[in-house]
Amino acid sequence: MDALPNLRSSTTCSKDKVKDLQVKIIQWEDFEQELARLSSLSSALHQSQQKKLALQTHLQTLIQVQSESLSRKNQLDEISERVQLRKLVMGNMLMQAKVVEEHAQTKEDHLATEIKSLLVSGTSLSVARKRLQESGRLLAGEKGLARLSALQKILRVRQQHMISQVAYLYPVKTLIGATQELELDSFPSGSRSGTPGGNIDENKSRNQGTLTISGVQLNMLPFTQMTFFTDKKQIQGSTTALGYIAHVISLIASYLHVPLRYPLRLGGSHSYIKDCAVFNNPTSSGSNSTSLAAANKKCLEFPLFLDGQDATRAAYAIFLLNKDIEQLLNYVGIESLGPRHVLANLKELFKTILSPEFIESD
């Protein structure tokens, strides 16, 4: 029962289609021609369909090739960009390599120079080492340091012996019970310790007696308190003592080979001491300044006596004489007792040189 409505609907549809088609009525006589024409059309349609299929296949192949070429072109573009980036990186690396190479070349040149200087220094060091070894062998030999030390000891013994003869000729002794007076009242008080009161042992020795040289006392009061009633014998005794001291200092300085800062011109009780000062000419300049300074060097002499001389100049001469004694004391490694103690400093100088430590000193 359900199939009948469907059959009716299909026949109705076929009738509608037949109505839409233009039906051409062919006569029997023309049937063969129409059939031949349809056959040729059918074959042409078949050929066109085959060509269509072939073109379709060819087009698909071309499309596939083009898509592959496009993808490869994209890949080539990416590779080209990468190559360009690599080229930039390589260019930067080449620049850095050139800079590093130039820096390395500079370092190499500097290192070569240092190596050359090191070789020269090594050669100099080897020569110096050979000289040092040779000097060591010379020092260790018979004419070496031991020999020099022995000769220096013999020289010290000889100097000590000669100075002991001077001390025997000009003995510095303490006069017990005599009138005690300061040696150089015209100068400020001073002592070894730098205090106004002086050293305790020094004050003690001064309280026990007065120092004399060859039995002559050095009294400086006439040099500072010169009057008409001054004792002439006292003045003569002091000038004689100063002459003795000057002779002793000159002998000791010559034995010890010490050039005195203030040279002496010996004349017994009428001796002089020199104070050399450089008077530079203010107009002199350039290369001639040294020669002019040497030419303008003048030495002023100061008397070590009061016979017709200024007391101030004589006092200054005694001050310079004590400076010479202090120079000799410093040479043997002893400090001065001060500018007021000429004979005390001289006695300390004799004591130091005649001690056994003087021979062992360098």
Side-chain angles (χ1 to χ4, degrees):
M1 294 296 291
D2 294 332
L4 289 176
N6 292 330
L7 181 60
R8 290 176 181 174
S9 61
S10 61
T11 53
T12 305
C13 289
S14 61
K15 287 180 180 181
D16 294 333
K17 289 180 180 181
V18 171
K19 288 180 180 180
D20 295 332
L21 294 176
Q22 294 180 1
V23 179
K24 184 179 181 180
I25 301 172
I26 300 172
Q27 298 296 326
W28 179 255
E29 292 82 7
D30 298 329
F31 178 73
E32 291 182 359
Q33 293 180 356
E34 289 292 331
L35 183 62
R37 189 174 65 80
L38 290 174
S39 176
S40 62
L41 289 174
S42 176
S43 61
L45 179 62
H46 182 67
Q47 289 178 0
S48 64
Q49 287 179 352
Q50 287 182 351
K51 289 181 179 180
K52 181 181 178 181
L53 291 173
L55 287 173
Q56 185 176 3
T57 305
H58 184 65
L59 287 173
Q60 289 179 355
T61 304
L62 290 176
I63 291 170
Q64 185 176 0
V65 170
Q66 187 176 5
S67 62
E68 290 178 357
S69 64
L70 288 174
S71 63
R72 289 183 179 180
K73 184 180 180 182
N74 293 330
Q75 292 178 358
L76 288 175
D77 292 338
E78 293 178 356
I79 293 172
S80 178
E81 290 179 358
R82 292 178 183 176
V83 169
Q84 292 296 329
L85 291 175
R86 291 288 179 88
K87 284 183 179 179
L88 292 175
V89 173
M90 290 296 294
N92 294 329
M93 291 179 67
L94 285 175
M95 293 296 294
Q96 292 179 359
K98 288 182 180 179
V99 173
V100 172
E101 185 178 0
E102 292 177 357
H103 185 67
Q105 186 67 31
T106 305
K107 288 287 186 181
E108 185 178 357
D109 296 339
H110 183 66
L111 183 61
T113 305
E114 288 185 351
I115 289 173
K116 290 180 181 179
S117 63
L118 183 61
L119 291 175
V120 173
S121 300
T123 305
S124 303
L125 181 61
S126 62
V127 172
R129 182 178 295 176
K130 290 180 181 178
R131 291 179 180 176
L132 182 61
Q133 291 176 356
E134 185 67 22
S135 300
R137 286 193 293 269
L138 292 175
L139 288 175
E142 295 180 355
K143 297 181 180 180
L145 183 60
R147 178 65 175 171
L148 180 61
S149 300
L151 291 176
Q152 286 181 347
K153 189 173 182 179
I154 294 173
L155 178 61
R156 292 289 187 183
V157 172
R158 182 62 177 170
Q159 289 174 341
Q160 189 181 60
H161 176 70
M162 295 171 70
I163 294 173
S164 67
Q165 297 299 318
V166 175
Y168 178 76
L169 292 174
Y170 297 101
V172 179
K173 298 180 180 180
T174 304
L175 184 61
I176 305 298
T179 304
Q180 300 177 10
E181 294 173 344
L182 296 179
E183 293 181 346
L184 199 57
D185 290 336
S186 59
F187 296 103
S189 62
S191 63
R192 178 180 295 184
S193 60
T195 56
N199 199 345
I200 298 177
D201 296 334
E202 177 190 342
N203 294 331
K204 183 178 179 180
S205 63
R206 286 170 50 194
N207 292 331
Q208 290 177 354
T210 303
L211 292 174
T212 60
I213 180 169
S214 295
V216 181
Q217 182 180 353
L218 178 61
N219 190 353
M220 296 309 302
L221 289 179
F223 288 84
T224 58
Q225 300 177 5
M226 189 70 178
T227 61
F228 181 77
F229 300 99
T230 303
D231 189 0
K232 301 298 181 182
K233 291 183 179 181
Q234 192 175 10
I235 295 176
Q236 291 178 358
S238 297
T239 55
T240 302
L242 290 173
Y244 291 162
I245 296 171
H247 192 202
V248 169
I249 292 173
S250 63
L251 290 176
I252 294 176
S254 63
Y255 296 159
L256 297 179
H257 303 287
V258 177
L260 293 175
R261 187 177 293 110
Y262 304 103
L264 293 164
R265 183 166 69 86
L266 299 178
S269 60
H270 285 70
S271 299
Y272 290 86
I273 190 167
K274 300 178 181 180
D275 185 10
C276 297
V278 178
F279 298 93
N280 291 325
N281 189 356
T283 60
S284 63
S285 61
S287 60
N288 297 326
S289 60
T290 304
S291 60
L292 289 176
N296 293 330
K297 185 176 181 181
K298 298 179 181 180
C299 293
L300 301 179
E301 290 186 347
F302 293 91
L304 290 168
F305 56 92
L306 271 178
D307 189 6
Q309 299 293 332
D310 186 8
T312 304
R313 291 172 57 85
Y316 184 68
I318 298 172
F319 174 77
L320 297 180
L321 183 68
N322 190 66
K323 285 294 182 182
D324 284 342
I325 301 176
E326 290 180 355
Q327 181 183 355
L328 295 174
L329 284 172
N330 294 330
Y331 177 77
V332 297
I334 301 298
E335 294 182 1
S336 171
L337 296 175
R340 300 176 57 193
H341 310 288
V342 178
L343 285 178
N345 287 331
L346 184 60
K347 183 178 181 181
E348 190 70 20
L349 180 63
F350 277 137
K351 180 180 178 182
T352 303
I353 295 176
L354 298 179
S355 64
E357 290 80 7
F358 176 77
I359 300 175
E360 301 298 332
S361 62
D362 295 331

